[in-house]
Amino acid sequence: SHNQPLGRHAPTVFNVAWGVEFFWDGRAATLEEQAGGPIQAPEEMNMTFPVLISRLNDIPSYKKWFSKVFPDEGLTEETIKKSIATYQRTIVSGVSPFDKWVSGEDKAISDAAKRGFLIFNEQAKCSACHSGWNFTDQKYHDIGLPGEDLGRSNIDNSEVKNKFAFKTPTLRNLTQRSPFMHDGSIYDLESVIAHYQVGGIQRESRSELMAPLKIDDDEVKDLLAFIRSLTADKDEVVLPILPN
């Protein structure tokens, strides 16, 4: 399973504490359920929980701390998942220049970014899906990317709009997260905008919001300035000290 390419790009863990369903197709109802996925996936860790529990029990510090934190359970599949999910909930995007501007610091972002915010909400209609403080509606949309992956339809095929549909990702700290899209097929933000300008593949499942985006080169620059303003000045992610 080592060095095996995956069909999907790893979604960000920023702000998953506020997530609603997990993975690109929403197949996990909770973060705890999500945490067990990569452990067991043949192309990732390829590990069964009995083997993992046995290995962790051989490390005195893990055995000690699981006994302390979960005195009635100790090291189990459920407590391993709970530990990973609890850590993931601490990974929160920091304060961005955009947040400072919203809070009243007029000089926190450039005039280009301010114009870009208007374009984001008006001509480009990006906010129809990238909505709210975390810039995601937590829903699934087909944005017309090529590929055979049916996305949400593999989980729920009750409606045609679920075909090729993937969860809207947050735009926070996006500049740190290349490559983009569910399959990692686009490597820079300029090309992401270019995809929306074309509108993607026309098909029955494609979102009605994916009409070709009519913005000129200057408006593209402004939109990108706004998106870049969503990257935090500093992120406080504390890396845990792991037992040996």
Side-chain angles (χ1 to χ4, degrees):
S1 63
H2 292 293
N3 299 317
Q4 185 171 330
L6 304 177
R8 295 179 183 172
H9 181 53
T12 182
V13 292
F14 274 117
N15 304 332
V16 289
W18 294 273
V20 179
E21 300 169 338
F22 302 92
F23 293 113
W24 283 107
D25 52 17
R27 66 186 182 275
T30 65
L31 262 182
E32 284 77 7
E33 186 183 344
Q34 181 275 326
I39 291 169
Q40 300 170 93
E43 64 274 18
E44 294 184 72
M45 286 180 66
N46 194 26
M47 179 81 62
T48 65
F49 270 99
V51 171
L52 178 60
I53 290 163
S54 173
R55 289 185 183 181
L56 292 177
N57 267 319
D58 286 340
I59 301 171
S61 292
Y62 272 119
K63 193 169 182 179
K64 170 189 162 187
W65 281 106
F66 270 87
S67 297
K68 276 193 170 186
V69 177
F70 304 103
D72 298 327
E73 300 161 274
L75 247 166
T76 69
E77 177 177 339
E78 293 310 308
T79 58
I80 289 169
K81 290 177 178 177
K82 196 177 290 185
S83 299
I84 295 170
T86 300
Y87 173 67
Q88 285 183 307
R89 291 186 180 100
T90 71
I91 303 173
V92 178
S93 59
V95 176
S96 70
F98 174 78
D99 296 315
K100 292 177 182 175
W101 178 60
V102 168
S103 297
E105 292 183 35
D106 190 56
K107 303 290 186 187
I109 65 174
S110 65
D111 288 341
K114 293 172 190 175
R115 293 191 300 268
F117 184 47
L118 285 175
I119 293 164
F120 179 86
N121 288 295
E122 294 175 5
Q123 298 108 293
K125 296 186 175 66
C126 309
S127 59
C129 301
H130 292 285
S131 55
W133 72 272
N134 200 29
F135 297 91
T136 168
D137 61 0
Q138 306 278 356
K139 294 177 182 175
Y140 309 90
H141 306 278
D142 172 11
I143 60 168
L145 289 167
E148 302 301 316
D149 191 336
L150 291 178
R152 182 65 178 169
S153 190
N154 290 324
I155 311 306
D156 175 8
N157 64 1
S158 63
E159 53 183 296
V160 70
K161 288 293 184 185
N162 284 347
K163 277 189 175 180
F164 308 107
F166 296 89
K167 194 174 188 183
T168 306
T170 176
L171 297 182
R172 287 189 174 273
N173 292 2
L174 192 64
T175 57
Q176 301 171 343
R177 290 173 19 219
S178 174
F180 306 108
M181 307 308 194
H182 72 273
D183 55 1
S185 60
I186 301 182
Y187 282 84
D188 58 68
L189 288 173
E190 288 79 3
S191 300
V192 170
I193 303 300
H195 169 75
Y196 285 102
Q197 286 177 291
V198 173
I201 297 169
Q202 292 186 21
R203 55 193 172 205
E204 192 181 6
S205 57
R206 190 182 69 167
S207 169
E208 58 276 4
L209 295 164
M210 284 302 296
L213 177 56
K214 293 178 174 61
I215 56 175
D216 62 30
D217 290 349
D218 288 335
E219 288 168 326
V220 168
K221 288 176 185 174
D222 290 345
L223 184 56
L224 288 169
F226 161 67
I227 291 169
R228 291 185 177 112
S229 79
L230 298 177
T231 294
D233 296 327
K234 186 178 181 183
D235 289 303
E236 301 291 346
V237 177
V238 179
L239 294 176
I241 299 170
L242 299 177
N244 293 313

